[in-house]
Amino acid sequence: MTTTATSALADSELPRLRLDVAPLLLLPILALLALPLVGSFPTWVTLTIAGLAMGMMIFIMASGLTLVFGLMDVLNFGHGAFVSVGAFTATLVLLPMQGWMQADSVLLNLSALGLAIALAVLVTGALGWAFERVIIIPVYGQHLKQILITMGGMIVAEQMIHVIWGPDQIPLPLPASFRGVLLFGDVAVEKYRLLAVAVGLIVFAAMFLVLNRTKVGLLIRAGVENSEMVEALGYRIRRLFVGVFVAGSALAGLGGVLWGLYREMLTAAMGSDLMVPVFIVIIIGGLGSVGGCFIGAMLVALVANYAGFLAPKIALVSNILLMVSILLWRPQGLFPVAKR
Amino acid sequence: MMLSRMFSGDFPRSRFLALMLLVAFAGLTLAPFLFPGARALNVAATICVFIVLVASYDLLLGYTGIVSFAHTMFYGIGAYGVGLSLYSVGPTWGAVFMGLTIALILSLVLALVIGLFSLRVKAIFYAMITLAVASAFAVLASQLSDFTGGEDGRTFGVPEVLRPGFRLIDAEVFGTAINGKLITYYLVFFSALALFLLLLRVVNSPFGRVLQAIRENDFRAEALGYRTVVYRTLANCLSAVTATLAGALMALWLRYTGPQTTLSLTIMMDILLIVVIGGMGTLYGAAIGSALFILAQNYLQALMRQASEGLAAVPVLANLFHPDRWLLWLGVLFVLSVYYFPSGIVGKLRGRK
């Protein structure tokens, strides 16, 4: 009796997905908790915006990785190489175009930056395609080999950067109109961080729309849930996967440009150094979940910034503590993806 | 019979491999007499330590199928344990053993916690978590500079017997002085040999067979009644403890401990390269791999320098052969070996017969 009753209910109206708000509340709670600890309001605002900017950049780099893992069960340990390559490719545009970069015009600055980002995204996207073709195809479904092979790919890519751009660090000055700070009363905010937050929000919004409002997005989400079923329904999951991999690599390249300008100094190892926070972010968020990745990136960056101010000694261990406490609460990450 | 017990019944099973091992063994045994000079002896000692370090990593990667990036952390704990203890207490054997004990306990606890925490889930999860923990540990070691000496590390004295100034007998043997450096070398050599044979015993025991079963098919191993989590965690702890001992040997040999020599990710990469190129799932691969790798690291770069200078006229090619770029070629070799001969040098030699 009861079974027929519930099935009748299910027929008439699909139960709405329950919105999981607890992880969403973590961010404001964390920020508010930090306020009394930091003490002064302007410092708190500066720290929070710095954290958000850093979080946006980490999110841009991590989102592709988590999607690729969710969709095809491939974890690319060489993802950091795309970050470095993106940043170094940008120098090909930015260094010769110092005239536009140092000009006192927001438009010229932005167009130089836009050109650099376009080139970086193109190059890393193409590299991602090649990487997928050459490196990853033979090792589908074999985690151990994937880790080894992508790690090897990263070593080679990093060394190739040395071969092409030389072994030295490359300084990369910010465009003229994004240097310095904006003052709102007592609150000082670096201009470049605002730009980073804006770019991050645009990327997140675009991704959110593509994933939730388009057919490709629907297929990707369905693929993350159950790729065999998507294939059985007649869609070519392979092609979808290549697309996501290329997009993820291109995003890593974009993140690399932003991060390189943020640090104003490029090293070939910058990408692999970032892999640690990136991995922590995707573990916290739940492997395969873009929303979780976003929240995770913000959490990691905010905690790192607050801890860096309050207790510099433990700042770099703070990420680990954060990860452990989140995993104790939700062992599969904030937003567990059904299949894994 | 005697030999069979020593090798735990696991022979090289290839004539050429046996020859290579014999050459390596003889070379290392007689290194102080065959190759005089501080540099050559240093290379030999490094090979000994790396054989243990890489073999213990092979226990994880090759035998159990776990990818860990925290191996240098345990190596570093051993080196720092002995180093800091000698630095703060003074050069006595008591300090060595105290430091070693603390380091072993710390390694064991860390390995246990990380293992129980993350070995229940997928291999990939464990790889990421160990990478995060190890990098946090490296940062911690360089940040707590009052205690660890920060980036500069610590230089310390070793017990009287191990100092270069110490003479066991005044006469020279085959033109080599029997001093503390020599004694330290043999301490390192025999400890490494003992640890290697011990590991060989472990992987050929019933316990080792279970680990291999888990590597091949963990689901089936579980179905046969083996608690895979327990076995994985035990393997993890065993490997961590061995790495700690290797670190302690390295500290005694170098009389110095710093982040660059023990904790850096570069060393982790080296270990990974050696295991895969040497041959996963066979300890002889670790031995051959370490010997070849360390020799190449120390002597091949000179060759590359010549090649680079010879090609100075061709801009990109000269860069490709620059001695600092030798990792590039190793990386390529690494990727190719994962694809085409996953069992490494040893597997290739055994397959030839």
Side-chain angles (χ1 to χ4, degrees):
Chain A
M1 274 312 281
T2 43
T3 47
T4 48
T6 44
S7 67
L9 188 81
D11 281 342
S12 59
E13 188 188 1
L14 281 172
R16 278 186 67 82
L17 274 180
R18 201 168 49 84
L19 189 65
D20 193 4
V21 284
L24 299 178
L25 289 177
L26 271 183
L27 282 179
I29 291 175
L30 176 72
L32 285 179
L33 272 181
L35 181 54
L37 288 175
V38 172
S40 100
F41 182 71
T43 319
W44 178 77
V45 174
T46 309
L47 282 176
T48 308
I49 292 191
L52 290 179
M54 193 175 145
M56 291 293 175
M57 288 186 263
I58 294 180
F59 164 72
I60 292 175
M61 292 178 249
S63 54
L65 195 62
T66 198
L67 259 188
V68 166
F69 182 79
L71 195 63
M72 223 56 179
D73 203 19
V74 168
L75 190 63
N76 181 7
F77 268 74
H79 199 67
F82 298 120
V83 173
S84 306
V85 170
F88 274 85
T89 312
T91 61
L92 293 181
V93 174
L94 292 181
L95 292 183
M97 290 179 69
Q98 277 304 313
W100 282 21
M101 289 285 283
Q102 303 312 329
D104 195 21
S105 139
V106 181
L107 200 66
L108 279 182
N109 288 169
L110 272 182
S111 35
L113 217 55
L115 272 176
I117 286 177
L119 182 70
V121 162
L122 272 179
V123 168
T124 47
L127 190 69
W129 183 76
F131 203 76
E132 209 270 344
R133 290 271 119 169
V134 179
I135 302 261
I136 298 193
I137 281 189
V139 290
Y140 271 126
Q142 308 169 46
H143 277 163
L144 190 81
K145 280 195 174 178
Q146 273 169 21
I147 298 176
L148 296 178
I149 221 83
T150 51
M151 212 78 203
M154 189 176 76
I155 295 177
V156 173
E158 247 175 41
Q159 294 296 319
M160 283 312 286
I161 289 180
H162 281 308
V163 171
I164 297 172
W165 279 280
D168 302 321
Q169 301 190 337
I170 298 182
L172 188 62
L174 277 173
S177 40
F178 295 106
R179 251 175 268 150
V181 294
L182 286 178
L183 279 175
F184 303 100
D186 283 344
V187 179
V189 178
E190 273 185 44
K191 290 179 197 166
Y192 183 70
R193 287 181 176 157
L194 289 180
L195 180 74
V197 171
V199 175
L201 281 178
I202 292 171
V203 169
F204 182 60
M207 256 177 112
F208 193 79
L209 285 178
V210 168
L211 283 176
N212 288 303
R213 292 281 181 275
T214 64
K215 178 147 187 202
V216 176
L218 185 71
L219 285 176
I220 293 175
R221 282 185 298 137
V224 172
E225 291 279 331
N226 190 339
S227 51
E228 278 174 4
M229 189 52 100
V230 175
E231 223 167 357
L233 289 172
Y235 295 99
R236 294 193 189 173
I237 197 100
R238 278 279 321 140
R239 217 176 259 180
L240 201 63
F241 176 61
V242 174
V244 170
F245 197 94
V246 168
S249 315
L251 280 175
L254 168 65
V257 180
L258 291 176
W259 187 257
L261 282 166
Y262 183 62
R263 294 243 321 250
E264 301 191 49
M265 185 63 80
L266 303 184
T267 58
M270 61 186 276
S272 47
D273 292 343
L274 272 171
M275 285 323 276
V276 172
V278 163
F279 282 144
I280 293 179
V281 160
I282 64 177
I283 291 174
I284 288 180
L287 289 167
S289 154
V290 174
C293 174
F294 185 74
I295 306 267
M298 297 301 141
L299 277 177
V300 164
L302 281 178
V303 166
N305 270 281
Y306 292 142
F309 178 76
L310 294 170
K313 289 271 184 211
I314 65 156
L316 289 141
V317 195
S318 64
N319 282 338
I320 304 285
L321 296 177
L322 177 72
M323 178 174 76
V324 169
S325 41
I326 297 264
L327 289 183
L328 287 177
W329 177 41
R330 292 195 168 176
Q332 301 283 319
L334 289 176
F335 292 108
V337 172
K339 186 171 53 172
R340 304 175 215 285
Chain B
M1 194 60 213
M2 170 75 191
L3 214 56
S4 172
R5 289 214 69 156
M6 244 174 99
F7 285 117
S8 315
D10 181 8
F11 290 105
R13 296 211 307 277
S14 149
R15 219 167 275 162
F16 191 61
L17 177 63
L19 190 72
M20 276 171 85
L21 282 168
L22 213 61
V23 169
F25 178 74
L28 289 176
T29 319
L30 302 173
F33 303 102
L34 288 179
F35 318 104
R39 176 149 184 224
L41 200 58
N42 191 31
V43 170
T46 314
I47 291 177
C48 291
V49 173
F50 261 72
I51 288 178
V52 176
L53 184 64
V54 174
S56 65
Y57 190 68
D58 196 28
L59 179 66
L60 273 188
L61 180 67
Y63 282 91
T64 325
I66 301 173
V67 186
S68 157
F69 287 103
H71 212 60
T72 42
M73 177 172 85
F74 299 120
Y75 181 58
I77 288 176
Y80 270 100
V82 169
L84 294 181
S85 165
L86 280 172
Y87 179 80
S88 48
V89 178
T92 60
W93 284 105
V96 174
F97 288 113
M98 189 187 81
L100 191 59
T101 317
I102 297 175
L104 285 175
I105 294 172
L106 181 63
S107 283
L108 205 57
V109 169
L110 268 174
L112 202 64
V113 170
I114 302 177
L116 286 179
F117 196 66
S118 52
L119 279 177
R120 301 175 164 277
V121 268
K122 294 186 149 190
I124 245 165
F125 209 64
Y126 187 71
M128 289 193 287
I129 289 200
T130 47
L131 184 64
V133 171
S135 72
F137 191 85
V139 167
L140 207 64
S142 63
Q143 287 290 310
L144 299 174
S145 45
D146 297 338
F147 180 54
T148 60
E151 284 295 322
D152 297 334
R154 285 272 192 246
T155 310
F156 46 84
V158 287
E160 175 76 44
V161 186
L162 302 182
R163 280 181 217 157
F166 176 82
R167 286 290 156 95
L168 193 63
I169 41 176
D170 278 331
E172 293 191 339
V173 179
F174 301 118
T176 309
I178 308 297
N179 59 13
K181 202 73 191 162
L182 193 84
I183 297 174
T184 320
Y185 176 75
Y186 279 110
L187 176 72
V188 170
F189 173 74
F190 283 111
S191 312
L193 187 66
L195 284 170
F196 182 78
L197 291 176
L198 189 75
L199 281 174
L200 207 57
R201 180 66 259 175
V202 167
V203 297
N204 288 296
S205 66
F207 173 74
R209 289 285 177 267
V210 177
L211 295 185
Q212 277 160 289
I214 292 174
R215 173 192 69 193
E216 294 301 328
N217 189 335
D218 61 339
F219 189 66
R220 187 178 277 181
E222 183 100 53
L224 284 173
Y226 296 106
R227 309 249 330 248
T228 49
V229 180
V230 174
Y231 278 91
R232 277 192 179 133
T233 311
L234 276 178
N236 197 28
C237 291
L238 198 63
S239 152
V241 163
T242 319
T244 311
L245 290 169
L249 290 178
M250 199 64 192
L252 281 180
W253 172 253
L254 288 178
R255 283 172 285 149
Y256 162 79
T257 301
Q260 284 311 313
T261 53
T262 53
L263 287 171
S264 77
L265 196 65
T266 329
I267 297 182
M268 193 63 242
M269 290 292 119
D270 290 351
I271 298 176
L272 206 59
L273 291 169
I274 297 174
V275 168
V276 171
I277 294 174
M280 282 188 282
T282 149
L283 291 184
Y284 296 118
I288 293 292
S290 310
L292 292 178
F293 185 90
I294 305 288
L295 282 177
Q297 193 172 36
N298 282 281
Y299 298 108
L300 189 74
Q301 286 183 345
L303 216 65
M304 285 182 69
R305 182 167 295 119
Q306 284 177 357
S308 175
E309 278 160 12
L311 290 165
V314 198
V316 177
L317 273 185
N319 267 345
L320 275 177
F321 287 101
H322 192 273
D324 288 345
R325 293 291 82 73
W326 82 299
L327 251 184
L328 172 70
W329 299 103
L330 271 181
V332 172
L333 184 63
F334 174 85
V335 171
L336 291 179
S337 57
V338 175
Y339 283 142
Y340 298 112
F341 47 114
S343 46
I345 298 176
V346 169
K348 211 66 188 163
L349 289 177
R350 279 183 174 170
R352 234 176 34 156
K353 286 265 158 100

